Amino acid sequence: MAATRRLANTVAVITISHPPVNALSSSVRHALVKEFGEASRDPKVEAIVLNGSGRKFSAGADIREFGTSAIKTVSLEDINSTIEASQKPVVAAIEGIALGGGLELALACHYRVADIQAKVGLPEVLIGILPAAGGTQRLPRLIGVPAALDVIVRGRHIPASEALKLGIVDEVVQGNALDAAIQLARKVIGYPLNKKRLSTVRISSDSNLEDFLDTAVEKAKKQFRGAKAPLACIEAVRASVHLSYHQGLEKERQLFFSLWATGQPQAQQYAFFSEREAGKWTHSSGARWDTEEAKPIRTAAVIGLGTMGRGIVISLSKAKIPVIAIEQDAQQLEVGKKAVNSLLEREAEKLKQQGSVPSSNLGSVHFTLDFGELQDVDLVIEAVYENMELKKEIFRKLSSVCKPDAFLCTNTSGLNVDEIASVTHRPNQVIGTHFFSPANIMRLLEVVRGQQTSLTAIATAMNLGKKLGKVAVLVGNCPLFVGNRMLGPYLEQASYLLEEGYYPEEVDQAMEEFGFAMGPFRMMDLAGLDVGWRSRTEKGLTGAKVPQGTPARQRLGSRYSPLADILCESGRFGQKTGRGWYQYEKPGGRTGKPDPWVKDFLQKYRKTHQIKQQPSNPEQIVERCAFALANEGFRILEDGIASCPEDIDVIYNNGYGWPKYRGGPMYYASSVGLPKVLDTLEKYYKANPDVPSMKPAFLLKKLAALGGPPIKEWRTQVGKPVNKL
Ligand code: 3HC
Ligand code: NAI
């Protein structure tokens, strides 16, 4: 049943019942109309309370119904208007969540009571749309335009205590919100309801408000780069200031349909569901997320407190897991301890602001140099330098010190997990947990299964990812795994573009206008150019190991761009040295400016190597970089390193600043049309046979020959994966 009704004395309690999150599907909406109508007509009922089953009010409209005929049946706003107009007081009892249409339904009620754990919000913007059941019109009338704009444009989930301060809810209770709502409903029987009907409230407009909205538009354009939904949200809120409620509602509706026509909501909703699907991993043995049991992780350890280790410690602590943090010497331990403690203080401050007690919500952190203290931990995450010999030394130690059933994880960004596992007595307990920087903030976690990794280890690492609030994606073990492997051809193209006449700022601008959070050169400067340089030196692609007589722009018969190597040889490592592809105000500076040195260097380089200059064409920049990424994605699917294109997209959306409104590189390739992607790659490869990464992948050809089937059908065309390790 989609909604039920019972009587508590003279209060009718209508409970939405659509597990797991009480999404307001067509059947729920019909049930609400029926139950609400009957309660309104029932002379025994003097007040009405709305709540949700399973201690969740509602996660809003049923996203799966968008684009189907189900959405066209009774509208949520019609229900909201009926509730608001009710002569009997209506109280929303908010437990767990009231999001999107769920909060809009609650805003139509005359009063709202929330439990202290509840979160409310209008996160529609995150799935490419705007609140479309009156939310953009009622919320500004309730809490004012500036506060409403912040809630709607950022789409954040607001804790109950903050919702109370903002005035979104009337009461927050420690205990049972339903009981409190029933009590409140009884108390307000007979009270006048006019002021509680938000659609009747007037917002007074002044020039400051106009300036505020104009500034918000400019800010949103910069911050959300090409995403249409935040701008539509601002326009809808602007309508609440200038138009009557009903005209504003009409504007909200029009904006919804114009957003839908851009294709961005479809891409973002694909991204939303792909993230949820990523957790439902499958294994070639037939084992799955729901057949394998994860072991509980009660205590953990982190080895190495550098850039990554610090963030990993904070992530674990935020998930209330006590951590032992280890460094190589007293000095490094002190540096790491200071950094971790300062991050922990910030987390504690945030918790205090949310009304929570830090000591009961953060796991303790114990700092030590003694590996002997690790004998009882359930799981260890190694985050020392990216060096195979060092990693092996650490894993040998861990294997002898830790209890036999402890899981040993490595945060390597691309080394062979099997080789690391091979030095332990328990390769089945070894697994890659590849966090992204900063690890306490970035949502992505690549979980890398080795040849011998047990299903329990996979289940445990995937479960830990969820517990840490990450999006964990299970991938296979190959050099650089999925995300970083795809980055190779992308950065290679970016470099070739410089050789052919572009400058770093032009390539970055094109990719940022496409929607990337950061163009490739800004990204390299941030990450540090020395990291890749060290790895290329180790591989003999640059430095002393390169055989005498090797042409400057060729390695192993393929094209090679030595530009980044030359920058590193000049001490230009990026932000950390104050110079890289850009110049910075100081070493460690964040604001990069185009550097005349780089311009001069590129001009001389092109002259020396007599490279033919391409006419400027931003579209070509995007095509070459984005198609190079996707082409490698097809190869990764062929190799069985990612189990589906959706997983690759989740990785790019959450770890590499890919614009979610373009769905991910595989979704993008699909939306551009696989025949077009194939044609572009074929032309490029024909003209540049020394760039093997642009040779169209076999799977791409196969799918293009089928006319580019929908992305959900690609899985069936992959065939038997070949692990190329
Ligand atoms: N519609 C349909 N299905 C939904 C849904 C929704 N609004 N919200 C969640 N689900 C589904 C998920 O796909 C998942 O399904 P599965 O079990 O088959 O994979 C299941 O519910 C559980 O979701 P999560 O795995 O995400 O569970 P969590 O507990 O981690 O998170 C949540 C719960 C915070 C509610 C999160 O799911 C979420 O953020 N949901 C989306 C909320 C949202 O965007 N609401 C706005 C909808 S649009 C709208 O309301 C338009 C209105 O203005 C008219
Ligand atoms: P880092 O250089 O910032 O930190 C490494 C830390 O390990 C240092 O503090 C060092 O003192 C410590 N260490 C070295 N030997 C040790 C030992 N024997 N015992 C205990 N501690 C020891 O390195 P970073 O960037 O944190 O990288 C760590 C790992 O994470 C590497 O494998 C790297 O490839 C990977 N990674 C790095 C990312 C990044 O953006 N920096 C992103 C994702 C993964």
Side-chain angles (χ1 to χ4, degrees):
M1 235 178 314
T4 55
R5 180 162 49 93
R6 68 181 169 92
L7 202 59
N9 290 323
T10 58
V11 179
V13 178
I14 299 175
T15 304
I16 303 164
S17 182
H18 185 201
V21 292
N22 295 326
L24 302 167
S25 63
S26 169
S27 54
V28 170
R29 298 197 303 277
H30 278 109
L32 277 176
V33 170
K34 175 177 169 287
E35 299 304 335
F36 196 83
E38 286 175 10
S40 303
R41 289 187 295 273
D42 186 342
K44 294 191 290 302
V45 172
E46 291 184 278
I48 299 168
V49 166
L50 266 185
N51 78 332
S53 64
R55 300 190 63 82
K56 287 186 181 116
F57 188 75
S58 167
D62 190 331
I63 304 169
R64 289 181 208 274
E65 284 186 353
F66 289 150
T68 72
S69 55
I71 201 77
K72 294 190 189 118
T73 61
V74 55
S75 91
L76 183 57
E77 173 47 22
D78 286 348
I79 298 173
N80 290 346
S81 307
T82 310
I83 291 176
E84 197 189 70
S86 165
Q87 297 306 313
K88 301 175 182 177
V90 188
V91 183
I94 301 174
E95 292 172 308
I97 44 164
L99 298 173
L103 180 59
E104 289 173 297
L105 181 65
L107 290 174
C109 298
H110 305 119
Y111 297 89
R112 287 156 292 280
V113 177
D115 80 66
I116 185 75
Q117 302 296 338
K119 295 215 163 131
V120 304
L122 293 173
E124 284 89 340
V125 71
L126 305 178
I127 50 166
I129 57 172
L130 78 166
T136 64
Q137 305 304 301
R138 284 198 179 91
L139 193 63
R141 287 173 161 84
L142 179 64
I143 64 172
V145 169
L149 205 64
D150 179 63
V151 170
I152 295 171
V153 175
R154 288 168 65 197
R156 61 197 178 93
H157 295 187
I158 299 157
S161 53
E162 189 186 342
L164 182 66
K165 276 189 209 145
L166 285 171
I168 299 176
V169 298
D170 303 286
E171 201 178 314
V172 170
V173 292
Q174 291 285 347
N176 187 322
L178 178 59
D179 287 349
I182 294 173
Q183 261 183 39
L184 178 65
R186 280 206 189 106
K187 189 174 119 190
V188 296
I189 290 168
Y191 282 24
L193 291 174
N194 268 350
K195 286 196 178 143
K196 298 290 171 190
R197 296 190 175 109
L198 295 178
S199 70
T200 62
V201 174
R202 265 188 61 99
I203 300 177
S204 56
S205 167
D206 62 41
S207 58
N208 288 344
L209 209 47
E210 274 310 303
D211 289 348
F212 175 81
L213 287 162
D214 291 342
T215 311
V217 170
E218 290 317 310
K219 253 171 81 186
K221 279 186 185 159
K222 279 202 198 108
Q223 194 181 350
F224 302 109
R225 298 177 186 288
K228 308 276 185 214
L231 300 176
C233 288
I234 301 172
E235 285 324 302
V237 171
R238 195 191 289 275
S240 75
V241 179
H242 296 296
L243 304 179
S244 71
Y245 179 79
H246 289 286
Q247 287 167 327
L249 210 56
E250 181 52 29
K251 178 81 184 172
E252 185 186 85
R253 211 177 73 90
Q254 282 167 9
L255 285 163
F256 179 88
F257 287 114
S258 57
L259 276 178
W260 195 255
T262 64
Q264 292 193 357
Q266 293 84 334
Q268 280 179 254
Q269 286 157 33
Y270 157 85
F272 174 86
F273 287 116
S274 298
E275 270 177 33
R276 267 92 202 143
E277 287 306 305
K280 297 173 185 164
W281 57 272
T282 53
H283 189 266
S284 50
S285 65
R288 294 157 37 111
W289 62 284
D290 53 354
T291 60
E292 298 310 310
E293 208 169 313
K295 293 271 186 219
I297 301 302
R298 296 193 183 92
T299 53
V302 175
I303 319 292
L305 299 177
T307 310
M308 295 306 291
R310 294 166 192 181
I312 298 171
V313 169
I314 301 301
S315 274
L316 290 162
S317 169
K318 275 169 72 180
K320 300 190 200 176
I321 300 173
V323 194
I324 300 180
I326 292 209
E327 255 296 345
Q328 58 177 332
D329 58 38
Q331 195 189 345
Q332 289 295 100
L333 187 68
E334 201 42 45
V335 174
K337 187 174 174 178
K338 258 197 192 144
V340 168
N341 282 341
S342 125
L343 288 168
L344 279 175
E345 271 166 29
R346 249 185 267 170
E347 291 303 331
E349 194 47 44
K350 270 193 232 162
L351 283 170
K352 268 192 220 149
Q353 277 172 13
Q354 289 167 13
S356 303
V357 185
S359 58
S360 57
N361 282 288
L362 288 172
S364 62
V365 183
H366 169 64
F367 298 88
T368 179
L369 292 172
D370 181 7
F371 273 71
E373 292 190 39
L374 302 184
Q375 57 188 3
D376 289 327
V377 294
D378 296 324
L379 176 138
V380 184
I381 300 175
E382 163 277 313
V384 301
Y385 307 125
E386 187 78 338
N387 176 295
M388 182 54 91
E389 287 319 307
L390 175 61
K391 303 233 180 224
K392 282 183 176 172
E393 185 192 317
I394 300 279
F395 272 75
R396 268 188 214 104
K397 237 190 239 180
L398 293 175
S399 179
S400 66
V401 169
C402 297
K403 63 184 182 187
D405 56 349
F407 299 97
L408 308 182
C409 312
T410 171
N411 189 50
T412 174
S413 37
L415 296 176
N416 187 343
V417 173
D418 289 327
E419 195 177 334
I420 296 173
S422 70
V423 301
T424 69
H425 302 300
R426 56 180 101 174
N428 59 322
Q429 301 277 97
V430 176
I431 192 160
T433 46
H434 181 204
F435 289 78
F436 286 69
S437 179
N440 51 321
I441 293 177
M442 293 292 282
R443 290 190 68 220
L444 180 62
L445 178 69
E446 273 186 339
V447 172
V448 188
R449 58 181 155 78
Q451 294 281 355
Q452 299 195 54
T453 305
S454 70
L455 296 170
T456 308
I458 293 175
T460 304
M462 291 295 286
N463 199 47
L464 178 68
K466 196 170 164 69
K467 199 166 172 198
L468 302 186
K470 307 279 178 205
V471 190
V473 183
L474 182 63
V475 301
N477 179 29
C478 72
L480 300 174
F481 317 134
V482 172
N484 287 347
R485 173 170 157 183
M486 287 169 71
L487 216 49
Y490 169 78
L491 296 180
E492 189 182 80
Q493 283 304 314
S495 234
Y496 295 163
L497 286 161
L498 295 196
E499 293 190 339
E500 291 159 25
Y502 292 101
Y503 291 97
E505 55 276 20
E506 290 173 312
V507 177
D508 282 347
Q509 190 184 345
M511 297 316 290
E512 285 160 15
E513 277 172 8
F514 175 77
F516 263 96
M518 219 179 262
F521 295 104
R522 277 186 218 291
M523 184 188 78
M524 282 189 262
D525 269 3
L526 174 71
L529 293 170
D530 53 323
V531 182
W533 186 43
R534 219 175 302 131
S535 141
R536 290 191 298 278
T537 309
E538 271 174 33
K539 287 183 195 149
L541 292 170
T542 186
K545 282 198 240 160
V546 178
Q548 285 276 318
T550 304
R553 298 176 55 233
Q554 225 183 60
R555 294 293 180 273
L556 307 167
S558 298
R559 183 171 166 185
Y560 180 80
S561 172
L563 291 176
D565 300 336
I566 302 172
L567 254 63
C568 288
E569 284 155 17
S570 321
R572 302 181 69 105
F573 291 171
Q575 290 188 0
K576 61 177 86 165
T577 55
R579 296 273 184 279
W581 295 109
Y582 293 89
Q583 56 175 325
Y584 297 84
E585 65 278 20
K586 56 175 194 263
R590 293 268 181 251
T591 329
K593 280 199 308 200
D595 190 341
W597 184 94
V598 173
K599 193 165 187 178
D600 186 50
F601 155 68
L602 287 173
Q603 281 166 353
K604 284 187 189 139
Y605 175 90
R606 292 169 194 147
K607 218 166 162 188
T608 309
H609 296 286
Q610 296 172 354
I611 304 171
K612 198 172 145 228
Q613 303 301 283
Q614 299 283 344
S616 176
N617 178 356
E619 203 180 309
Q620 187 199 43
I621 299 178
V622 170
E623 272 190 2
R624 278 175 54 181
C625 294
F627 292 177
L629 258 183
N631 195 36
E632 194 60 30
F634 284 109
R635 291 211 182 92
I636 282 171
L637 288 171
E638 282 169 20
D639 294 353
I641 294 298
S643 58
C644 57
E646 290 88 343
D647 279 0
I648 296 178
D649 285 337
V650 170
I651 288 173
Y652 262 79
N653 289 334
N654 292 287
Y656 293 85
W658 179 278
K660 264 195 189 166
Y661 61 82
R662 291 191 195 273
M666 309 317 282
Y667 183 92
Y668 177 64
S670 166
S671 59
V672 169
L674 298 191
K676 177 177 163 135
V677 176
L678 176 62
D679 186 52
T680 311
L681 287 169
E682 262 170 351
K683 279 193 189 129
Y684 180 89
Y685 183 57
K686 210 168 155 201
N688 302 274
D690 58 346
V691 183
S693 61
M694 293 295 262
K695 183 178 177 183
F698 173 73
L699 178 62
L700 167 60
K701 283 187 181 166
K702 190 171 164 187
L703 291 166
L706 292 169
I711 205 160
K712 59 179 182 301
E713 290 171 23
W714 294 6
R715 217 187 270 232
T716 57
Q717 295 299 327
V718 173
K720 199 170 159 37
V722 188
N723 195 328
K724 298 239 174 93
L725 265 183

